[in-house]
Amino acid sequence: MEGEATAVNIVEETPKERKGKAPLLAAPPAGGSSTSSSSKSKLLRMVQPAAAAKGGYRRGLAVFDVVLRIAGIATALGAAIAMGSTDQTLPFFTQFFQFKASYDDVSAFSFFLIANAITASYLALTIPISIVFILRPQSIKLRVVLMFFDTVMVALTTSAAGGAASIVYLAHNGNSDANWPALCQQFNDFCQKTSGATVASFLSVVILMILVVLSAFSL
């Protein structure tokens, strides 16, 4: 009918009804996977420089290790050669008596010669292993084994150098309580060679100790 108004009922939803119709799970953001992958790549970029720096540090120590082993060969071999060539005969002698001094007259000097020859040979044999550390600085187990044998060589060379040093001291100063004269007053060349060999052997000890410390830092 004309003139009659059409009534429109508008039903408003309460907040509780709106909450019930809301989705339970929100849709993940479109860029979520890309964000996680970018964070992983950033983490890798942070780890890789640290690993490279550590490898370069070990490689530098390995190069220094090779140099020290060559120096140790020179000192130990020089000590052995100097001791082995120690021999002096005094110009005054009779038909029945000859005044002569040689390294093999003293057992401590003979042990000194053998120990330093072993040390020089050991250092020469370990140079290829030390070169391996330059190429592969992550070889931890091999480094531990080498450090153990270096420590053994420290003990061997120290005992040899200490025994020789005690004899050299007696040769220079003698012992008044035991009525032992100072032999160096007559056998000058003999004492000079034995003293130089002893000093060179102690230098080998210092080099071996530094090698042990380097191996500890490389672990």
Side-chain angles (χ1 to χ4, degrees), residues 59-142:
R59 188 172 288 107
L61 291 179
V63 173
F64 190 41
D65 186 275
V66 173
V67 174
L68 284 178
R69 290 183 188 279
I70 295 174
I73 293 171
T75 55
L77 187 61
I81 293 174
M83 185 61 73
S85 61
T86 301
D87 188 4
Q88 183 180 4
T89 303
L90 296 182
F92 51 90
F93 59 89
T94 64
Q95 183 179 359
F96 302 100
F97 295 99
Q98 185 177 11
F99 297 94
K100 182 179 179 181
S102 179
Y103 80 94
D104 53 1
D105 295 332
V106 183
S107 58
F109 288 161
S110 298
F111 173 67
F112 177 92
L113 173 62
I114 296 172
N116 280 275
I118 292 174
T119 301
S121 301
Y122 165 77
L123 291 174
L125 291 175
T126 54
I127 285 180
I129 301 176
S130 188
I131 293 175
V132 171
F133 294 143
I134 300 176
L135 303 177
R136 299 178 60 186
Q138 293 81 15
S139 303
I140 302 300
K141 294 182 179 180
L142 189 59

